[in-house]
Amino acid sequence: MQGSGTAFHIRRGDIIYDPITSNQLWSNKYIPREYYEVLANRLVLDPDARILVFSDEPAEIARLKEISPQIITPDEVLPPHLTLAQRDFMEIYAMSRCHAIMGPPGSGFSAAAALMGNREVTYIRDALTADEQRTAMELLSTRLEERSDLFLGDGDVGQNFAFAVEHLNATDQSARALALLESYADAGFSKVYFFRLLLEQYLKCEKFDQCTAPLTRLANAKLDVAIPARLDLHWSELNRIAAIGAARDRDTAALHDRLALAFWFHPTSR
């Protein structure tokens, strides 16, 4: 495959599974599968195209493999019976031999392959046309609404919210974005960052009287893991944003209360 083929790198691992790591958003490392899917469907229109998919999540490789036999897994090109360290090196080397590397901008794995092959990692969203980006994000939004079984648990679901909300807000579908977030809130979704997304969407939709709802939900939520420092910072951020809602709602008393709480939870926050 020297100098040929396109490498796809899909980063998952601790981002979606570790109870602490998965409690923050990783938009520089986690990329929605729909971007890869849309690009793969375009590339395989060329009968000579080959796509080599790398991921620390086998389910992602298997799902993309279903699109076309032109999509190749590392098992098809690497020798068997490798140790873990040998496997990691050989995957980086195989990726470095591809003419293009598509993946997240913040991944050390694909960055090492690009360095080895004297190439650059292309942020996969930048490889798509504007129409393809909209297609991918509309597909993502629909799958979130439908609770698709393609998502690998709450950690996987949650990393996609920011992408879907950004798309829906940019395409005049802010009410749909809020309905999506509220539906997951009602179902008990409790990743820490989710409450900020919900509160910001209340502001976006000018539902200023609802800006304390995410704070109430967080107070009552059964969180995955106790992370006091992260929670204190988050409480500060939520109260600061709620203060904006109170100001827009012309509720001076609530504004003062929220600012005081924001300072209390994180007095060194800018």
Side-chain angles (χ1 to χ4, degrees), residues 97-120:
R97 307 314 298 159
C98 294
H99 75 80
I101 300 174
M102 306 287 180
S107 167
F109 187 89
S110 48
L115 180 63
M116 182 181 292
N118 194 27
R119 308 187 189 284
E120 294 183 356

Side-chain angles (χ1 to χ4, degrees), residues 70-82:
Q70 295 167 247
I71 297 177
I72 303 167
T73 71
D75 288 339
E76 296 175 68
V77 298
L78 298 183
H81 312 304
L82 297 174

Side-chain angles (χ1 to χ4, degrees), residues 37-115:
E37 184 176 331
V38 169
L39 182 57
N41 277 303
R42 189 231 295 167
L43 293 180
V44 299
L45 294 176
D46 177 357
D48 295 325
R50 296 294 182 271
I51 301 171
L52 187 54
V53 181
F54 301 86
S55 180
D56 51 8
E57 174 49 64
E60 296 288 17
I61 298 176
R63 186 190 63 80
L64 280 180
K65 177 69 177 173
E66 294 175 357
I67 293 175
S68 168
Q70 295 167 247
I71 297 177
I72 303 167
T73 71
D75 288 339
E76 296 175 68
V77 298
L78 298 183
H81 312 304
L82 297 174
T83 67
L84 181 60
Q86 290 170 335
R87 172 82 179 202
D88 286 345
F89 175 79
M90 290 302 297
E91 285 197 4
I92 290 174
Y93 179 75
M95 186 184 294
S96 77
R97 307 314 298 159
C98 294
H99 75 80
I101 300 174
M102 306 287 180
S107 167
F109 187 89
S110 48
L115 180 63

Side-chain angles (χ1 to χ4, degrees), residues 83-149:
T83 67
L84 181 60
Q86 290 170 335
R87 172 82 179 202
D88 286 345
F89 175 79
M90 290 302 297
E91 285 197 4
I92 290 174
Y93 179 75
M95 186 184 294
S96 77
R97 307 314 298 159
C98 294
H99 75 80
I101 300 174
M102 306 287 180
S107 167
F109 187 89
S110 48
L115 180 63
M116 182 181 292
N118 194 27
R119 308 187 189 284
E120 294 183 356
V121 178
T122 299
Y123 179 24
I124 192 163
R125 185 167 70 177
D126 294 341
L128 299 173
T129 67
D131 285 344
E132 287 173 333
Q133 290 180 33
R134 284 190 291 271
T135 296
M137 289 299 95
E138 196 61 32
L139 182 59
L140 170 63
S141 301
T142 300
R143 285 174 174 171
L144 285 170
E145 290 168 334
E146 295 176 349
R147 305 294 206 277
S148 170
D149 59 8

Side-chain angles (χ1 to χ4, degrees), residues 4-263:
S4 65
T6 300
F8 281 6
H9 180 216
I10 307 175
R11 173 76 159 81
R12 294 293 184 261
D14 58 329
I15 289 176
I16 66 173
Y17 292 123
D18 183 82
I20 294 179
T21 308
S22 67
N23 257 293
Q24 69 182 75
L25 292 173
W26 295 92
S27 57
N28 65 325
K29 295 180 182 293
Y30 183 100
I31 306 298
R33 60 183 54 81
E34 286 71 22
Y35 283 140
Y36 295 96
E37 184 176 331
V38 169
L39 182 57
N41 277 303
R42 189 231 295 167
L43 293 180
V44 299
L45 294 176
D46 177 357
D48 295 325
R50 296 294 182 271
I51 301 171
L52 187 54
V53 181
F54 301 86
S55 180
D56 51 8
E57 174 49 64
E60 296 288 17
I61 298 176
R63 186 190 63 80
L64 280 180
K65 177 69 177 173
E66 294 175 357
I67 293 175
S68 168
Q70 295 167 247
I71 297 177
I72 303 167
T73 71
D75 288 339
E76 296 175 68
V77 298
L78 298 183
H81 312 304
L82 297 174
T83 67
L84 181 60
Q86 290 170 335
R87 172 82 179 202
D88 286 345
F89 175 79
M90 290 302 297
E91 285 197 4
I92 290 174
Y93 179 75
M95 186 184 294
S96 77
R97 307 314 298 159
C98 294
H99 75 80
I101 300 174
M102 306 287 180
S107 167
F109 187 89
S110 48
L115 180 63
M116 182 181 292
N118 194 27
R119 308 187 189 284
E120 294 183 356
V121 178
T122 299
Y123 179 24
I124 192 163
R125 185 167 70 177
D126 294 341
L128 299 173
T129 67
D131 285 344
E132 287 173 333
Q133 290 180 33
R134 284 190 291 271
T135 296
M137 289 299 95
E138 196 61 32
L139 182 59
L140 170 63
S141 301
T142 300
R143 285 174 174 171
L144 285 170
E145 290 168 334
E146 295 176 349
R147 305 294 206 277
S148 170
D149 59 8
L150 289 173
F151 297 110
L152 307 171
D154 281 357
D156 190 27
V157 168
Q159 293 295 326
N160 288 283
F161 284 133
F163 291 95
V165 167
E166 179 186 25
H167 161 72
L168 293 172
N169 284 336
T171 53
D172 298 323
Q173 301 182 80
S174 297
R176 182 183 172 194
L178 179 57
L180 171 66
L181 294 176
E182 285 188 320
S183 71
Y184 277 87
D186 290 342
F189 192 87
S190 60
K191 293 296 181 183
V192 174
Y193 56 78
F194 174 78
F195 301 95
R196 175 170 182 165
L197 292 174
L198 179 58
L199 199 157
E200 289 176 336
Q201 199 59 29
Y202 279 128
L203 286 182
K204 176 72 175 178
C205 294
E206 298 187 356
K207 293 184 177 292
F208 306 124
D209 60 333
Q210 296 295 312
C211 283
T212 57
L215 286 85
T216 303
R217 290 183 187 275
L218 178 57
N220 295 328
K222 295 180 179 179
L223 299 176
D224 295 356
V225 63
I227 40 177
R230 181 65 188 162
L231 280 177
D232 282 353
L233 175 59
H234 199 75
W235 275 116
S236 178
E237 291 174 342
L238 286 182
N239 276 287
R240 177 179 57 79
I241 300 169
I244 297 173
R248 297 289 300 276
D249 202 32
R250 301 181 182 278
D251 188 340
T252 305
L255 168 62
H256 291 167
D257 287 346
R258 293 301 165 190
L259 287 178
L261 285 167
F263 181 77

